[in-house]
Amino acid sequence: MKKNSIKNTRINGEVLRELSNIIRGEIKDPRINPMTSVVAVEVAADLKTCKAYISVLGDEASQQDTLAGLKSAEGYIRSKLAKNINLRNTPEIRFVLDQSIEYGVNMSKLIDEVNHQQS
């Protein structure tokens, strides 16, 4: 199966949706920031592993606490994923902090400052 096959794209989308629902509604860990979103998911072709790119709105400490909370709840998340999605194998999830949204917001602020200084 190619990386960009229709089946893999569909599985990525389904895992992304279910992972978002689980993180938003079912995990009660106080370390996890309520403004946490799943940006993207990459499930390997053999369905054994999965990279989940997580974006957290907040400071560095909040981001690290959220990652620690997600890593400690990994087994629970995986079991919920197995119940909600019918796959041959339930992938082992690895959470990766994605700072692209925060980077984009900071760049937008910098551009606005430059435009304000020129006018």
Side-chain angles (χ1 to χ4, degrees), residues 11 15 19 41-53 70-71 73-79 81-82 87-96:
I11 289 172
V15 170
L19 204 54
V41 170
E42 290 179 4
V43 179
D46 62 355
L47 305 177
K48 299 274 189 209
T49 60
C50 167
K51 275 188 192 176
Y53 295 94
L70 287 172
K71 284 183 178 158
E74 193 173 310
Y76 174 78
I77 293 170
R78 190 172 178 198
S79 69
L81 205 60
L87 291 175
R88 187 174 10 154
N89 297 318
T90 304
E92 184 177 318
I93 305 165
R94 194 171 51 140
F95 294 102
V96 179

Side-chain angles (χ1 to χ4, degrees), residues 19-27 32 36 38 54 70 95:
L19 204 54
S20 296
N21 290 339
I22 292 168
I23 290 173
R24 185 173 6 96
E26 298 185 24
I27 297 180
I32 297 175
T36 301
V38 182
I54 305 296
L70 287 172
F95 294 102

Side-chain angles (χ1 to χ4, degrees), residues 1-90:
M1 176 167 44
K2 294 185 303 190
K3 189 171 181 104
N4 294 336
S5 71
I6 293 171
K7 180 181 175 187
N8 197 296
T9 304
R10 210 176 282 155
I11 289 172
N12 287 344
E14 190 68 26
V15 170
L16 176 93
R17 185 169 54 252
E18 285 301 324
L19 204 54
S20 296
N21 290 339
I22 292 168
I23 290 173
R24 185 173 6 96
E26 298 185 24
I27 297 180
K28 304 294 185 233
D29 194 328
R31 294 177 290 182
I32 297 175
N33 189 325
M35 296 299 288
T36 301
S37 61
V38 182
V39 178
V41 170
E42 290 179 4
V43 179
D46 62 355
L47 305 177
K48 299 274 189 209
T49 60
C50 167
K51 275 188 192 176
Y53 295 94
I54 305 296
S55 176
V56 180
L57 193 65
D59 60 344
E60 187 71 29
S62 173
Q63 292 174 352
Q64 295 308 318
D65 285 348
T66 299
L67 269 182
L70 287 172
K71 284 183 178 158
S72 71
E74 193 173 310
Y76 174 78
I77 293 170
R78 190 172 178 198
S79 69
K80 281 295 198 181
L81 205 60
K83 287 178 186 171
N84 296 340
I85 300 176
N86 186 18
L87 291 175
R88 187 174 10 154
N89 297 318
T90 304

